[in-house]
């Protein structure tokens, strides 16, 4: 077996997974939380330990201590990293700026360049730099590969990537739409292109995969939409930062920038506004809960704020799907992914319900059936006579797997 250790360093957490890219299996994984706080904790999941889960409470002062704790947990609860056939360490890095448009083998210059990008991603890149540095120290015998959340969107057409601002200001400050969640949008859109129902439809219509028009909705705690033509991104909803676009767990998505000045003139500091927009808005701001399951529960008990929050969430989604239909000249496949997209059938039917004019439909039984598989949830009766596949356009649910995508890219690069 050959595996990749995938590390995702957040400001106060370290998520990790040991992945076998060939089978797609996650061998073990877990999370260290509350790094830098008085009490931290680690949860390690492994098929080899009796209970399946090992929890450790300990103070974890920094990312170095976090990774040491992870290595200890592998030693104690298994599987043994020495026997796991690790060929590379894959690091998730949020911002690759204009520099990194591909997965990159890490050396000192790469670490320096990721550090130089900190002004573009002050909330995310510092932890990535720290995570990479400690991992290169503690796992010095392995190749390290950085996989950037922005990379998939590097080829966005200029018309979609450019903000209509003074060109000297944008050039001086590196202001453009970078896009995020790229690893997920790439993984999901390629899975859609390869799905038998999609392949059968394209073949039946005599079309090439290059003409496939997809909209992918990644709806997790963070949320983003992308428009993908023949595997290439042509638009995406997150922009210069992960704040723009859809309504998210704690972020508002699209906003009139005038609100920011109004609040600052009213006495809030720039850092107050930053916290408001990153941590206290979105579903949490409107309904008092950032988890969609809780918002649903509140709405079902008649809570007016939660109901409105769901309406705002859905309205924004429909607006983006409509906009991307215009950008792509139509939609062949609309795909839902991530925590909300994969699990919440009411969000899916809520988005599609009013999009019949685009040919999009929902089959209630298929939509409500639970499954971990990539699947079609639109009405199958549309299929042409004699065809086993539903006709385009399709609505699909495709589970994302960013760790697997990172592991595959890291292994490919490490093996050269
Ligand atoms: P992240 O963006 O942190 O990677 P995920 O993609 O795991 O997050 O999505 C997390 C979110 O998914 C949760 O905050 C919750 O709102 C939502 N979620 C998870 N399971 C369900 C479910 N069964 N029904 C509705 N929402 C769910």
């Amino acid at each position: 077996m050959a595996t990749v250790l995938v590390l995702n360093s957040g400001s106060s957490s370290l998520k990790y997974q040991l992945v076998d890219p060939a089978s797609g299996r996650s061998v073990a994984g877990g999370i260290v939380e509350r790094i830098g706080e008085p009490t931290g904790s680690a949860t390690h999941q492994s098929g080899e330990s009796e209970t399946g889960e090992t929890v450790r409470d300990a103070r974890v002062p920094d990312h170095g201590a976090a990774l040491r704790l992870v290595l200890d947990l592998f030693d104690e609860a298994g599987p043994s990293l020495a026997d796991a056939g690790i060929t590379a360490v894959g690091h998730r890095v949020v911002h690759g700026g204009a520099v990194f448009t591909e997965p990159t083998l890490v050396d000192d210059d790469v670490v320096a360049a990721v550090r130089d990008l900190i002004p573009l991603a002050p909330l995310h890149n510092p932890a990535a730099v720290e995570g990479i540095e400690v991992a290169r120290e503690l796992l010095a015998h392995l190749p390290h590969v950085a996989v950037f959340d922005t990379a998939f969107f590097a080829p966005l057409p200029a018309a979609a990537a450019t903000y209509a601002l003074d060109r000297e200001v944008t050039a001086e400050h590196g202001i453009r739409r970078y896009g995020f969640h790229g690893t997920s949008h790439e993984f999901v859109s390629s899975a859609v292109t390869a799905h038998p129902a999609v392949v059968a439809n394209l073949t039946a219509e005599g079309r090439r995969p290059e003409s496939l028009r997809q909209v992918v909705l990644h709806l997790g705690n963070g949320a983003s939409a992308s428009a993908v033509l023949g595997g290439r991104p042509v638009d995406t909803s997150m922009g210069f930062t992960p704040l723009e676009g859809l309504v998210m767990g704690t972020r508002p998505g699209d906003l009139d920038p005038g609100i920011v000045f109004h609040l600052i003139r009213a006495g809030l500091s720039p850092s107050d506004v930053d916290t408001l927009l990153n941590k206290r808005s979105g579903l949490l701001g409107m309904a008092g809960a950032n988890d969609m399951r809780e918002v649903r529960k509140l709405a079902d008990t008649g809570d007016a704020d939660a109901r409105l929050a769901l309406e705002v969430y859905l309205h924004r989604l429909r607006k983006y799907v409509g906009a991307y239909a215009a950008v792509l000249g139509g939609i062949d496949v609309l795909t839902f992914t991530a925590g909300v997209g994969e699990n919440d059938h009411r969000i899916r039917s809520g988005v599609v319900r009013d999009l019949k004019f685009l040919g999009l439909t929902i089959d209630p039984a298929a939509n409500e059936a639970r499954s971990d598989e990539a699947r079609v949830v639109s009405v199958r009766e549309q299929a042409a006579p004699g065809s086993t596949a539903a006709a385009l356009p399709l609505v699909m649910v495709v589970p994302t797997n960013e760790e697997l995508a990172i592991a595959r890219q890291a292994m490919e690069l490490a093996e050269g």
Side-chain angles (χ1 to χ4, degrees):
M1 183 172 64
T3 58
V4 174
L5 181 64
V6 177
L7 299 180
N8 181 354
S9 306
S11 55
S12 67
S13 72
L14 172 67
K15 289 189 205 153
Y16 61 96
Q17 244 183 61
L18 185 65
V19 180
D20 172 1
S23 70
R25 200 167 65 93
S26 166
V27 183
I31 182 168
V32 184
E33 293 171 281
R34 299 189 302 282
I35 299 173
E37 293 179 29
T39 54
S41 78
T43 310
H44 178 79
Q45 264 131 7
S46 151
E48 293 197 1
S49 81
E50 273 172 25
T51 53
E53 190 172 283
T54 311
V55 181
R56 182 71 42 86
D57 293 315
R59 199 175 101 74
V60 188
D62 52 33
H63 282 77
L67 186 57
R68 262 180 233 108
L69 182 56
V70 170
L71 299 181
D72 285 350
L73 282 164
F74 272 106
D75 268 350
E76 288 167 33
S80 152
L81 284 182
D83 304 333
I86 302 188
T87 56
V89 182
H91 296 268
R92 175 175 185 245
V93 182
V94 167
H95 216 311
V99 190
F100 296 108
T101 58
E102 302 267 334
T104 304
L105 209 51
V106 176
D107 59 19
D108 292 344
D109 291 344
V110 169
V111 178
V114 174
R115 188 179 288 114
D116 287 344
L117 290 168
I118 286 177
L120 288 182
L123 298 176
H124 298 103
N125 273 30
V129 171
E130 221 184 312
I132 292 174
E133 284 186 322
V134 298
R136 286 180 80 207
E137 236 174 85
L138 296 175
L139 300 163
H141 57 295
L142 292 168
H144 291 252
V145 175
V147 177
F148 299 90
D149 225 19
T150 46
F152 178 60
F153 293 115
L156 275 184
T162 307
Y163 286 104
L165 288 168
D166 182 317
R167 63 197 160 185
E168 284 175 22
V169 174
T170 53
E172 187 184 343
H173 297 279
I175 293 175
R176 54 159 282 174
R177 177 171 283 111
Y178 290 102
F180 298 87
H181 289 151
T183 305
S184 177
H185 285 281
E186 182 174 21
F187 180 87
V188 169
S189 57
S190 341
V192 166
T193 308
H195 192 275
V198 175
V199 173
N201 270 293
L202 286 176
T203 310
E205 294 185 11
R207 285 174 52 189
R208 298 165 60 82
E210 291 76 33
S211 71
L212 188 71
R213 299 163 300 181
Q214 299 190 47
V215 173
V216 176
L217 301 177
H218 175 111
L219 309 178
N221 232 325
S224 60
S226 68
V228 179
L229 177 63
R232 280 174 75 84
V234 292
D235 210 340
T236 191
S237 62
M238 282 178 168
F240 178 65
T241 73
L243 272 177
E244 195 178 348
L246 302 176
V247 175
M248 315 185 205
T250 63
R251 292 170 245 162
D254 292 337
L255 200 70
D256 179 348
I259 295 169
V260 173
F261 304 115
H262 181 74
L263 292 174
I264 288 175
R265 274 188 226 108
L268 273 71
S269 70
S271 123
D272 291 340
V273 178
D274 198 328
T275 306
L276 173 75
L277 299 185
N278 277 295
K279 306 208 163 131
R280 291 178 42 213
S281 299
L283 294 174
L284 179 68
M286 290 184 287
N290 69 297
D291 191 304
M292 185 56 85
R293 287 162 289 197
E294 283 179 51
V295 178
R296 273 251 170 265
K297 255 189 226 153
L298 288 168
D300 287 343
T301 59
D303 184 289
D305 289 338
R307 286 189 172 179
L308 176 61
L310 285 174
E311 279 174 34
V312 176
Y313 188 93
L314 286 171
H315 177 80
R316 186 79 53 82
L317 279 168
R318 285 188 212 108
K319 212 158 107 168
Y320 266 92
V321 177
Y324 287 176
V327 166
L328 290 162
I331 296 178
D332 295 313
V333 188
L334 170 68
T335 307
F336 291 86
T337 192
V340 176
E342 290 167 30
N343 294 302
D344 194 325
H345 65 84
R346 289 203 276 178
I347 288 293
R348 295 194 294 261
S349 56
V351 172
V352 175
R353 195 174 49 227
D354 295 327
L355 298 176
K356 288 199 186 74
F357 71 99
L358 293 172
L360 299 168
T361 59
I362 225 84
D363 176 296
N367 186 42
E368 287 164 36
R370 296 200 64 84
S371 163
D372 293 334
E373 301 290 313
R375 59 202 185 271
V376 174
V377 296
S378 44
V379 174
R380 288 199 172 244
E381 278 73 36
Q382 295 174 332
S387 158
T388 50
L392 297 174
L394 302 177
V395 179
M396 296 185 67
V397 179
V398 175
T400 192
N401 192 337
E402 286 159 288
E403 290 76 15
L404 176 58
I406 292 171
R408 282 184 182 154
Q409 294 178 15
M411 182 168 278
E412 203 177 299
L413 205 62
E415 287 180 342

